[in-house]
Amino acid sequence: MKTLCVAKCKNHEGICRGCLRTMKEISEWRLMNDEAHTQTIAQIQGTKTTHDCILCGQPAYCGVEDGKQECWCFELAKRDTSGLPKGQCVCRACLSGLPLLQA
Ligand SMILES: [Zn+2]
């Protein structure tokens, strides 16, 4: 089975800082088929992208922009994106590094 795990898995408010998979992707990984693995890996590694991250300029993927009902970012604890332009997504690495939104 393909895996992105780099043995540094650490839940960082919904996303792994090691492999950048969401906790949902990690927990469902065994249940996903090969096609789903390939898709997810492509999104994380930047070979399947919808836009460039507005913070670091690296290729990023947004599920909603790709015509899906959901996006990986829905799985994360809300980050403080108030300093970012509206309607623009950042990449997994950048989003996971933003401070949590204070309730
Ligand atoms: Zn970024």
Side-chain angles (χ1 to χ4, degrees):
M1 183 172 14
K2 293 193 186 78
T3 182
L4 280 165
C5 188
V6 289
K8 282 196 297 191
C9 280
K10 188 165 192 315
N11 182 359
H12 186 72
E13 309 295 347
I15 191 166
C16 172
R17 291 307 293 269
C19 62
L20 297 178
R21 282 179 298 170
T22 64
M23 289 307 114
K24 182 164 179 267
E25 285 164 351
I26 289 174
S27 65
E28 292 180 356
W29 199 257
R30 285 165 193 274
L31 307 172
M32 288 159 59
N33 60 25
D34 220 42
E35 172 66 19
H37 288 155
T38 303
Q39 291 280 333
T40 304
I41 290 170
Q43 292 169 17
I44 293 173
Q45 295 185 340
T47 53
K48 180 177 173 65
T49 73
T50 53
H51 62 285
D52 290 336
C53 171
I54 51 170
L55 289 180
C56 68
Q58 294 296 310
Y61 174 86
C62 167
V64 174
E65 256 183 67
D66 198 27
K68 298 198 166 59
Q69 295 294 320
E70 47 182 45
C71 179
W72 54 269
C73 68
F74 295 178
E75 304 299 322
L76 275 61
K78 280 256 180 284
R79 296 324 205 252
D80 183 3
T81 54
S82 56
L84 306 177
K86 280 260 178 297
Q88 298 250 33
C89 307
V90 297
C91 71
R92 292 183 184 232
C94 287
L95 187 62
S96 71
L98 288 174
L100 287 181
L101 192 65
Q102 302 299 324

